[in-house]
Amino acid sequence: MTATVPVKKTESIFSDLENIHDRIMKRAYDIFAENGMQHGNDLEHWLEAERELVWKPEIELSEENNEYKLKVAVVGMDAKDLKVEVTVNDLVIKGETQHEHKDDKDQVHTSEFRSGSLYQSIHFPKPIDPNKVKAELSNGMLTLTAAISGEAAPRKVKIEIK
């Protein structure tokens, strides 16, 4: 089964980063205000806001036979919930994940399931060909391969489910 994932042009990557930065900044200020507006904990407030709002999955980028192989741990995500954007120099993976507790009789004592925005950007050491990027999702691991080359136009990337 194959799912199409839209890819935007380079300028959208930077506007996304700016939007995320603005959301984190607003949340960090809210945390600062909730803690009595005491100065000296700016970094802690920023990092807490970042953890609340943005999930950066673990990655591994390797190079072999003139192509990059990127592994991204996206356990619990479906291909339809992921978007991959690629340019000659960068790749961005975005998604949304939600975890809700059902109104059952059971009382939840601990939950480490995450809800929020997944966002991971990767800058390639060498330019790639966006037309030769492939993505597969299998057992919670998103694997992308990108041929190393010169300039090319952005394109959509399909995630195949194995």
Side-chain angles (χ1 to χ4, degrees):
M1 182 177 202
T2 303
T4 302
V5 178
V7 176
K8 297 181 183 177
K9 294 183 180 181
T10 306
E11 52 270 8
S12 69
I13 293 171
F14 296 112
S15 67
D16 285 344
L17 285 172
E18 188 174 320
N19 289 337
I20 289 170
H21 179 269
D22 290 346
R23 288 177 48 214
I24 293 169
M25 185 170 47
K26 288 175 185 169
R27 179 61 186 134
Y29 180 80
D30 290 344
I31 294 168
F32 168 70
E34 290 167 7
N35 288 306
M37 296 191 159
Q38 295 180 10
H39 294 281
N41 296 315
D42 299 347
L43 179 60
E44 289 83 5
H45 296 156
W46 182 272
L47 294 174
E48 183 179 340
E50 196 174 63
R51 278 189 302 272
E52 286 180 16
L53 298 174
V54 182
W55 168 37
K56 291 185 73 161
E58 293 81 12
I59 66 165
E60 177 181 275
L61 178 63
S62 59
E63 179 181 341
E64 187 177 326
N65 298 327
N66 207 35
E67 80 176 7
Y68 290 115
K69 185 174 190 176
L70 177 67
K71 293 182 179 181
V72 185
V74 291
V75 176
M77 300 284 298
D78 292 325
K80 65 180 176 46
D81 298 325
L82 296 168
K83 293 180 182 174
V84 176
E85 299 177 5
V86 64
T87 68
V88 174
N89 298 307
D90 301 290
L91 184 134
V92 173
I93 302 160
K94 298 188 285 187
E96 292 292 326
T97 181
Q98 295 295 324
H99 177 75
E100 297 178 21
H101 299 288
K102 305 279 187 218
D103 290 333
D104 293 334
K105 298 179 218 173
D106 299 335
Q107 182 179 2
V108 176
H109 292 282
T110 303
S111 178
E112 294 182 353
F113 288 104
R114 190 181 286 257
S115 293
S117 299
L118 173 148
Y119 191 91
Q120 181 64 274
S121 63
I122 294 88
H123 182 75
F124 294 110
K126 301 173 196 167
I128 64 160
D129 182 350
N131 295 313
K132 295 184 179 175
V133 175
K134 295 178 185 172
E136 293 180 353
L137 181 62
S138 178
N139 297 324
M141 187 66 65
L142 177 62
T143 303
L144 298 112
T145 56
I148 297 171
S149 76
E151 295 285 328
R155 74 169 188 90
K156 292 182 180 182
V157 177
K158 294 182 181 182
I159 297 177
E160 297 177 17
I161 300 172
K162 287 190 170 188

PDB file of all heavy atoms in Angstrom, residues 1-5 77-81 135-139 142 157-162:
ATOM      1  N   MET A   1       0.849  -1.185   0.000  1.00  0.00           N
ATOM      2  CA  MET A   1       0.000   0.000   0.000  1.00  0.00           C
ATOM      3  C   MET A   1       0.888   1.240   0.000  1.00  0.00           C
ATOM      4  O   MET A   1       1.815   1.359   0.778  1.00  0.00           O
ATOM      5  CB  MET A   1      -0.888  -0.029   1.236  1.00  0.00           C
ATOM      6  CG  MET A   1      -1.828   1.111   1.329  1.00  0.00           C
ATOM      7  SD  MET A   1      -2.873   0.886   2.781  1.00  0.00           S
ATOM      8  CE  MET A   1      -4.201   1.899   2.315  1.00  0.00           C
ATOM      9  N   THR A   2       0.591   2.199  -0.870  1.00  0.00           N
ATOM     10  CA  THR A   2       1.394   3.405  -1.011  1.00  0.00           C
ATOM     11  C   THR A   2       0.558   4.635  -0.684  1.00  0.00           C
ATOM     12  O   THR A   2      -0.596   4.723  -1.075  1.00  0.00           O
ATOM     13  CB  THR A   2       1.904   3.526  -2.466  1.00  0.00           C
ATOM     14  OG1 THR A   2       2.629   2.346  -2.782  1.00  0.00           O
ATOM     15  CG2 THR A   2       2.795   4.725  -2.634  1.00  0.00           C
ATOM     16  N   ALA A   3       1.156   5.562   0.043  1.00  0.00           N
ATOM     17  CA  ALA A   3       0.494   6.827   0.368  1.00  0.00           C
ATOM     18  C   ALA A   3       1.317   7.979  -0.180  1.00  0.00           C
ATOM     19  O   ALA A   3       2.534   7.974  -0.076  1.00  0.00           O
ATOM     20  CB  ALA A   3       0.341   6.970   1.876  1.00  0.00           C
ATOM     21  N   THR A   4       0.674   8.959  -0.815  1.00  0.00           N
ATOM     22  CA  THR A   4       1.371  10.128  -1.331  1.00  0.00           C
ATOM     23  C   THR A   4       1.552  11.150  -0.225  1.00  0.00           C
ATOM     24  O   THR A   4       0.631  11.429   0.524  1.00  0.00           O
ATOM     25  CB  THR A   4       0.571  10.767  -2.492  1.00  0.00           C
ATOM     26  OG1 THR A   4       0.397   9.784  -3.501  1.00  0.00           O
ATOM     27  CG2 THR A   4       1.289  11.968  -3.049  1.00  0.00           C
ATOM     28  N   VAL A   5       2.756  11.690  -0.143  1.00  0.00           N
ATOM     29  CA  VAL A   5       3.073  12.696   0.860  1.00  0.00           C
ATOM     30  C   VAL A   5       3.464  13.972   0.130  1.00  0.00           C
ATOM     31  O   VAL A   5       4.389  13.968  -0.662  1.00  0.00           O
ATOM     32  CB  VAL A   5       4.225  12.210   1.765  1.00  0.00           C
ATOM     33  CG1 VAL A   5       4.584  13.261   2.776  1.00  0.00           C
ATOM     34  CG2 VAL A   5       3.837  10.915   2.445  1.00  0.00           C
ATOM     35  N   MET A  77       2.768   6.155  14.376  1.00  0.00           N
ATOM     36  CA  MET A  77       2.296   7.069  13.329  1.00  0.00           C
ATOM     37  C   MET A  77       1.914   6.261  12.086  1.00  0.00           C
ATOM     38  O   MET A  77       2.542   5.252  11.772  1.00  0.00           O
ATOM     39  CB  MET A  77       3.390   8.065  12.942  1.00  0.00           C
ATOM     40  CG  MET A  77       3.888   8.944  14.058  1.00  0.00           C
ATOM     41  SD  MET A  77       2.782  10.291  14.511  1.00  0.00           S
ATOM     42  CE  MET A  77       2.712  11.251  13.030  1.00  0.00           C
ATOM     43  N   ASP A  78       0.884   6.718  11.375  1.00  0.00           N
ATOM     44  CA  ASP A  78       0.489   6.133  10.102  1.00  0.00           C
ATOM     45  C   ASP A  78       1.033   6.992   8.971  1.00  0.00           C
ATOM     46  O   ASP A  78       1.253   8.200   9.153  1.00  0.00           O
ATOM     47  CB  ASP A  78      -1.036   6.072   9.980  1.00  0.00           C
ATOM     48  CG  ASP A  78      -1.665   5.078  10.943  1.00  0.00           C
ATOM     49  OD1 ASP A  78      -1.038   4.023  11.200  1.00  0.00           O
ATOM     50  OD2 ASP A  78      -2.776   5.357  11.429  1.00  0.00           O
ATOM     51  N   ALA A  79       1.223   6.386   7.808  1.00  0.00           N
ATOM     52  CA  ALA A  79       1.742   7.113   6.655  1.00  0.00           C
ATOM     53  C   ALA A  79       0.863   8.322   6.324  1.00  0.00           C
ATOM     54  O   ALA A  79       1.371   9.380   5.961  1.00  0.00           O
ATOM     55  CB  ALA A  79       1.848   6.186   5.443  1.00  0.00           C
ATOM     56  N   LYS A  80      -0.447   8.181   6.511  1.00  0.00           N
ATOM     57  CA  LYS A  80      -1.363   9.289   6.192  1.00  0.00           C
ATOM     58  C   LYS A  80      -1.179  10.487   7.123  1.00  0.00           C
ATOM     59  O   LYS A  80      -1.572  11.602   6.786  1.00  0.00           O
ATOM     60  CB  LYS A  80      -2.812   8.809   6.216  1.00  0.00           C
ATOM     61  CG  LYS A  80      -3.299   8.362   7.567  1.00  0.00           C
ATOM     62  CD  LYS A  80      -4.740   7.893   7.498  1.00  0.00           C
ATOM     63  CE  LYS A  80      -5.261   7.348   8.793  1.00  0.00           C
ATOM     64  NZ  LYS A  80      -5.004   8.073   9.980  1.00  0.00           N
ATOM     65  N   ASP A  81      -0.559  10.268   8.289  1.00  0.00           N
ATOM     66  CA  ASP A  81      -0.347  11.345   9.256  1.00  0.00           C
ATOM     67  C   ASP A  81       1.002  12.036   9.091  1.00  0.00           C
ATOM     68  O   ASP A  81       1.312  12.975   9.829  1.00  0.00           O
ATOM     69  CB  ASP A  81      -0.447  10.798  10.680  1.00  0.00           C
ATOM     70  CG  ASP A  81      -1.821  10.221  10.977  1.00  0.00           C
ATOM     71  OD1 ASP A  81      -2.818  10.774  10.463  1.00  0.00           O
ATOM     72  OD2 ASP A  81      -1.891   9.214  11.700  1.00  0.00           O
ATOM     73  N   ALA A 135      10.451   6.837   0.236  1.00  0.00           N
ATOM     74  CA  ALA A 135      10.132   6.708   1.656  1.00  0.00           C
ATOM     75  C   ALA A 135       9.301   5.460   1.877  1.00  0.00           C
ATOM     76  O   ALA A 135       8.342   5.201   1.152  1.00  0.00           O
ATOM     77  CB  ALA A 135       9.377   7.941   2.137  1.00  0.00           C
ATOM     78  N   GLU A 136       9.679   4.667   2.893  1.00  0.00           N
ATOM     79  CA  GLU A 136       8.939   3.473   3.278  1.00  0.00           C
ATOM     80  C   GLU A 136       8.696   3.509   4.783  1.00  0.00           C
ATOM     81  O   GLU A 136       9.581   3.895   5.541  1.00  0.00           O
ATOM     82  CB  GLU A 136       9.724   2.207   2.944  1.00  0.00           C
ATOM     83  CG  GLU A 136       9.907   1.965   1.469  1.00  0.00           C
ATOM     84  CD  GLU A 136      10.689   0.682   1.201  1.00  0.00           C
ATOM     85  OE1 GLU A 136      11.194   0.062   2.153  1.00  0.00           O
ATOM     86  OE2 GLU A 136      10.786   0.316   0.030  1.00  0.00           O
ATOM     87  N   LEU A 137       7.511   3.091   5.175  1.00  0.00           N
ATOM     88  CA  LEU A 137       7.167   3.015   6.590  1.00  0.00           C
ATOM     89  C   LEU A 137       6.911   1.556   6.929  1.00  0.00           C
ATOM     90  O   LEU A 137       6.057   0.912   6.329  1.00  0.00           O
ATOM     91  CB  LEU A 137       5.924   3.851   6.893  1.00  0.00           C
ATOM     92  CG  LEU A 137       5.454   3.882   8.335  1.00  0.00           C
ATOM     93  CD1 LEU A 137       6.509   4.486   9.240  1.00  0.00           C
ATOM     94  CD2 LEU A 137       4.153   4.641   8.459  1.00  0.00           C
ATOM     95  N   SER A 138       7.684   1.028   7.881  1.00  0.00           N
ATOM     96  CA  SER A 138       7.545  -0.359   8.282  1.00  0.00           C
ATOM     97  C   SER A 138       7.866  -0.499   9.769  1.00  0.00           C
ATOM     98  O   SER A 138       8.941  -0.082  10.212  1.00  0.00           O
ATOM     99  CB  SER A 138       8.499  -1.236   7.459  1.00  0.00           C
ATOM    100  OG  SER A 138       8.419  -2.577   7.860  1.00  0.00           O
ATOM    101  N   ASN A 139       6.926  -1.048  10.525  1.00  0.00           N
ATOM    102  CA  ASN A 139       7.123  -1.299  11.956  1.00  0.00           C
ATOM    103  C   ASN A 139       7.586  -0.067  12.731  1.00  0.00           C
ATOM    104  O   ASN A 139       8.494  -0.148  13.559  1.00  0.00           O
ATOM    105  CB  ASN A 139       8.112  -2.452  12.162  1.00  0.00           C
ATOM    106  CG  ASN A 139       7.595  -3.758  11.607  1.00  0.00           C
ATOM    107  OD1 ASN A 139       6.405  -4.034  11.679  1.00  0.00           O
ATOM    108  ND2 ASN A 139       8.478  -4.553  11.039  1.00  0.00           N
ATOM    109  N   LEU A 142      10.395   4.937   9.653  1.00  0.00           N
ATOM    110  CA  LEU A 142      10.318   5.590   8.352  1.00  0.00           C
ATOM    111  C   LEU A 142      11.726   5.601   7.780  1.00  0.00           C
ATOM    112  O   LEU A 142      12.649   6.133   8.394  1.00  0.00           O
ATOM    113  CB  LEU A 142       9.790   7.018   8.507  1.00  0.00           C
ATOM    114  CG  LEU A 142       9.705   7.874   7.238  1.00  0.00           C
ATOM    115  CD1 LEU A 142       8.739   7.259   6.233  1.00  0.00           C
ATOM    116  CD2 LEU A 142       9.280   9.292   7.591  1.00  0.00           C
ATOM    117  N   VAL A 157       6.793  12.846  -2.218  1.00  0.00           N
ATOM    118  CA  VAL A 157       7.426  11.581  -1.839  1.00  0.00           C
ATOM    119  C   VAL A 157       6.329  10.652  -1.337  1.00  0.00           C
ATOM    120  O   VAL A 157       5.499  11.049  -0.523  1.00  0.00           O
ATOM    121  CB  VAL A 157       8.482  11.795  -0.715  1.00  0.00           C
ATOM    122  CG1 VAL A 157       9.067  10.466  -0.273  1.00  0.00           C
ATOM    123  CG2 VAL A 157       9.567  12.735  -1.189  1.00  0.00           C
ATOM    124  N   LYS A 158       6.320   9.408  -1.835  1.00  0.00           N
ATOM    125  CA  LYS A 158       5.341   8.418  -1.389  1.00  0.00           C
ATOM    126  C   LYS A 158       5.940   7.586  -0.266  1.00  0.00           C
ATOM    127  O   LYS A 158       7.091   7.197  -0.328  1.00  0.00           O
ATOM    128  CB  LYS A 158       4.940   7.503  -2.545  1.00  0.00           C
ATOM    129  CG  LYS A 158       4.193   8.225  -3.640  1.00  0.00           C
ATOM    130  CD  LYS A 158       3.789   7.262  -4.728  1.00  0.00           C
ATOM    131  CE  LYS A 158       3.056   8.010  -5.828  1.00  0.00           C
ATOM    132  NZ  LYS A 158       2.600   7.111  -6.876  1.00  0.00           N
ATOM    133  N   ILE A 159       5.139   7.314   0.750  1.00  0.00           N
ATOM    134  CA  ILE A 159       5.547   6.431   1.831  1.00  0.00           C
ATOM    135  C   ILE A 159       4.863   5.098   1.589  1.00  0.00           C
ATOM    136  O   ILE A 159       3.644   5.027   1.515  1.00  0.00           O
ATOM    137  CB  ILE A 159       5.150   6.987   3.219  1.00  0.00           C
ATOM    138  CG1 ILE A 159       5.863   8.295   3.482  1.00  0.00           C
ATOM    139  CG2 ILE A 159       5.444   5.967   4.310  1.00  0.00           C
ATOM    140  CD1 ILE A 159       5.485   8.950   4.792  1.00  0.00           C
ATOM    141  N   GLU A 160       5.663   4.050   1.448  1.00  0.00           N
ATOM    142  CA  GLU A 160       5.127   2.721   1.231  1.00  0.00           C
ATOM    143  C   GLU A 160       5.061   1.977   2.549  1.00  0.00           C
ATOM    144  O   GLU A 160       5.993   2.031   3.338  1.00  0.00           O
ATOM    145  CB  GLU A 160       6.015   1.954   0.252  1.00  0.00           C
ATOM    146  CG  GLU A 160       6.050   2.601  -1.123  1.00  0.00           C
ATOM    147  CD  GLU A 160       6.996   1.883  -2.070  1.00  0.00           C
ATOM    148  OE1 GLU A 160       7.374   0.736  -1.796  1.00  0.00           O
ATOM    149  OE2 GLU A 160       7.329   2.484  -3.089  1.00  0.00           O
ATOM    150  N   ILE A 161       3.958   1.299   2.791  1.00  0.00           N
ATOM    151  CA  ILE A 161       3.777   0.522   4.009  1.00  0.00           C
ATOM    152  C   ILE A 161       4.116  -0.919   3.690  1.00  0.00           C
ATOM    153  O   ILE A 161       3.610  -1.494   2.741  1.00  0.00           O
ATOM    154  CB  ILE A 161       2.322   0.619   4.524  1.00  0.00           C
ATOM    155  CG1 ILE A 161       1.981   2.078   4.810  1.00  0.00           C
ATOM    156  CG2 ILE A 161       2.140  -0.253   5.755  1.00  0.00           C
ATOM    157  CD1 ILE A 161       0.540   2.309   5.131  1.00  0.00           C
ATOM    158  N   LYS A 162       5.021  -1.480   4.500  1.00  0.00           N
ATOM    159  CA  LYS A 162       5.421  -2.879   4.278  1.00  0.00           C
ATOM    160  C   LYS A 162       4.789  -3.768   5.308  1.00  0.00           C
ATOM    161  O   LYS A 162       4.567  -3.437   6.400  1.00  0.00           O
ATOM    162  CB  LYS A 162       6.934  -3.009   4.354  1.00  0.00           C
ATOM    163  CG  LYS A 162       7.603  -2.430   3.148  1.00  0.00           C
ATOM    164  CD  LYS A 162       9.064  -2.820   3.166  1.00  0.00           C
ATOM    165  CE  LYS A 162       9.693  -2.460   1.847  1.00  0.00           C
ATOM    166  NZ  LYS A 162      11.018  -2.954   1.723  1.00  0.00           N
TER     167      LYS A 162
END
